[in-house]
Amino acid sequence: MSKVKPTLKTIAEKTGLSLATVSKALHNASDLRPETRQLVQRVAKQVGYTPNWAGVHLRTGRSFVIAFVLNQDDEIDQFARNMILGITMALRETRYLLTVLPQSLGQDPMEPVAYVVDNSLADGLIITHTEPQDPRVKLLNERDIPFITHGRTELSTPHPFHDYDNFDFTYRATKYLLARGRRNIVLITPPRVYTYYGHQLGGYMRAVYEAGVEPNLPRDVDLSAEPARLNAFARRAARSSTPPDGYICGSENRCLALLAGARAGGADEGRDVDFVAKQTTSLLDYIDPQITSFGEDLKRAGEQLASLLLRRLAGEKADDLQVIDKPTFHGRKPGPT
């Protein structure tokens, strides 16, 4: 005999409260006393009550789903994993569920977003890898769909975002290397299509301009290059007539590929060349000699993205839901000079 599924009436009978009060308590209505809300929610948990989401969707048109469109350029054990942990932390005490929608390799970034919107699969979206004139942001604004981006755009219509200050990262990284006496500093830029390419380039160019040194921007590699290509690039560069004496790289594993290539080319890290990376995991903590880095807490970024999106879903203005996180400096013990 199958067990009868608990309903609002089940909770009402056990608490002695009306159906209306039980419903309001489960929705965290602010006009109820905290002890009433706590009683209802405690009993709901005890009896194993779960909402009838199909019925809720039919009544309200809401799915209570947040969609995170996952760009496959990111490695799941780094960027995406920590971001997802942060998002789920922010949603844990809410009615919202998270669904992750992977973007296939080579797929138009617009396709998964349009699929979610056209099929009403989520109440809000989180998207990453923004472009200056991002067509996904244009679509979501036009359709009045709540969303938030990890990264900024250059569109005139404001939208919620959480971003890492990439200008500050490369400016401070370049200043650090200059203070170490480095003068031929290579910046491995992001792909030009992304908004943060301009931010990283801007911080770097300002620092080298202030110091009166020439920029060094490789034409044949960027952060999208496979580690093997970056390794070969650094090896060739170390053996050239004007070898780089500093590298700035916005990816940990790409930075390690550069380091290995420079060593294979005969450069001694700390004496001949220094590296500064953007750090999002503990990977660089186990490298000897240690690499100086500027950190981004992706778990916290995911949590803030979800929290800001919840506020947008509650009706707050987009202009008030824009956050830029400053990089965290991680000084390392340098090698011999």
Side-chain angles (χ1 to χ4, degrees):
M1 188 176 193
S2 61
K3 186 178 179 180
V4 177
K5 183 178 179 180
T7 64
L8 292 180
K9 185 177 179 180
T10 308
I11 301 171
E13 289 173 349
K14 287 187 172 292
T15 59
L17 300 169
S18 68
L19 286 173
T21 300
V22 169
S23 178
K24 290 173 68 175
L26 290 173
H27 286 81
N28 286 310
S30 59
D31 58 339
L32 293 180
R33 292 184 303 171
E35 52 266 34
T36 301
R37 294 198 302 270
Q38 292 167 7
L39 170 64
V40 170
Q41 291 168 8
R42 183 172 66 251
V43 171
K45 187 174 182 180
Q46 289 172 352
V47 301
Y49 171 78
T50 56
N52 181 344
W53 294 112
V56 171
H57 183 63
L58 287 173
R59 291 194 305 273
T60 66
R62 298 173 68 184
S63 65
F64 290 96
V65 169
I66 299 297
F68 175 39
V69 181
L70 174 61
N71 189 304
Q72 292 284 37
D73 286 342
D74 295 312
E75 298 188 22
I76 187 67
D77 63 334
Q78 295 183 20
F79 180 95
R81 180 179 181 275
N82 286 318
M83 189 78 78
I84 290 169
L85 282 173
I87 294 170
T88 53
M89 284 173 60
L91 299 180
R92 185 170 49 193
E93 302 299 327
T94 74
R95 300 177 65 184
Y96 287 94
L97 300 175
L98 176 67
T99 182
V100 179
L101 187 64
Q103 174 186 314
S104 303
L105 290 172
Q107 183 182 24
D108 182 347
M110 176 67 87
E111 289 183 16
V113 173
Y115 180 76
V116 172
V117 171
D118 292 342
N119 292 281
S120 303
L121 298 180
D123 294 335
L125 293 91
I126 300 172
I127 58 177
T128 66
H129 294 75
T130 51
E131 302 175 12
Q133 300 296 316
D134 202 303
R136 301 169 301 170
V137 173
K138 290 180 181 178
L139 172 69
L140 294 168
N141 271 331
E142 289 167 1
R143 300 284 287 273
D144 196 26
I145 305 294
F147 72 98
I148 189 166
T149 62
H150 182 251
R152 284 167 277 175
T153 67
E154 295 176 1
L155 295 168
S156 57
T157 304
H159 64 84
F161 66 75
H162 178 283
D163 200 7
Y164 177 80
D165 195 336
N166 281 283
F167 183 100
D168 188 59
F169 159 54
T170 53
Y171 180 77
R172 290 167 62 193
T174 309
K175 297 286 281 187
Y176 170 85
L177 291 172
L178 290 165
R180 292 270 299 158
R182 305 310 185 186
R183 290 295 180 269
N184 187 11
I185 301 168
V186 172
L187 172 65
I188 305 296
T189 64
R192 289 174 177 266
V193 67
Y194 298 131
T195 310
Y196 80 112
Y197 163 82
H199 298 158
Q200 286 201 4
L201 180 63
Y204 169 79
M205 292 300 290
R206 174 176 288 185
V208 297
Y209 174 78
E210 290 175 349
V213 302
E214 290 295 318
N216 190 338
L217 301 166
R219 294 183 179 181
D220 53 344
V221 291
D222 61 23
L223 284 180
S224 68
E226 290 296 319
R229 279 188 63 202
L230 288 164
N231 180 280
F233 166 79
R235 185 170 63 250
R236 291 192 305 271
R239 293 170 177 168
S240 70
S241 58
T242 56
D245 57 12
Y247 281 92
I248 300 170
C249 182
S251 163
E252 290 157 304
N253 63 354
R254 266 60 176 181
C255 188
L256 293 179
L258 291 166
L259 171 60
R263 285 176 174 173
D268 187 345
E269 197 277 330
R271 184 185 65 194
D272 303 317
V273 60
D274 284 319
F275 293 81
V276 180
K278 178 181 173 184
Q279 182 171 2
T280 56
T281 72
S282 61
L283 179 63
L284 297 182
D285 295 340
Y286 304 100
I287 303 302
D288 184 28
Q290 292 182 325
I291 297 174
T292 294
S293 66
F294 289 83
E296 178 182 14
D297 187 337
L298 290 175
K299 190 182 298 182
R300 189 166 74 92
E303 190 170 3
Q304 290 189 343
L305 281 163
S307 297
L308 292 169
L309 180 55
L310 290 172
R311 289 168 56 186
R312 181 61 172 161
L313 286 161
E316 291 194 38
K317 292 169 51 179
D319 313 60
D320 299 328
L321 304 172
Q322 300 174 339
V323 174
I324 301 175
D325 264 355
K326 288 291 185 183
T328 304
F329 177 71
H330 299 291
R332 306 298 188 183
K333 182 180 179 181
T337 57

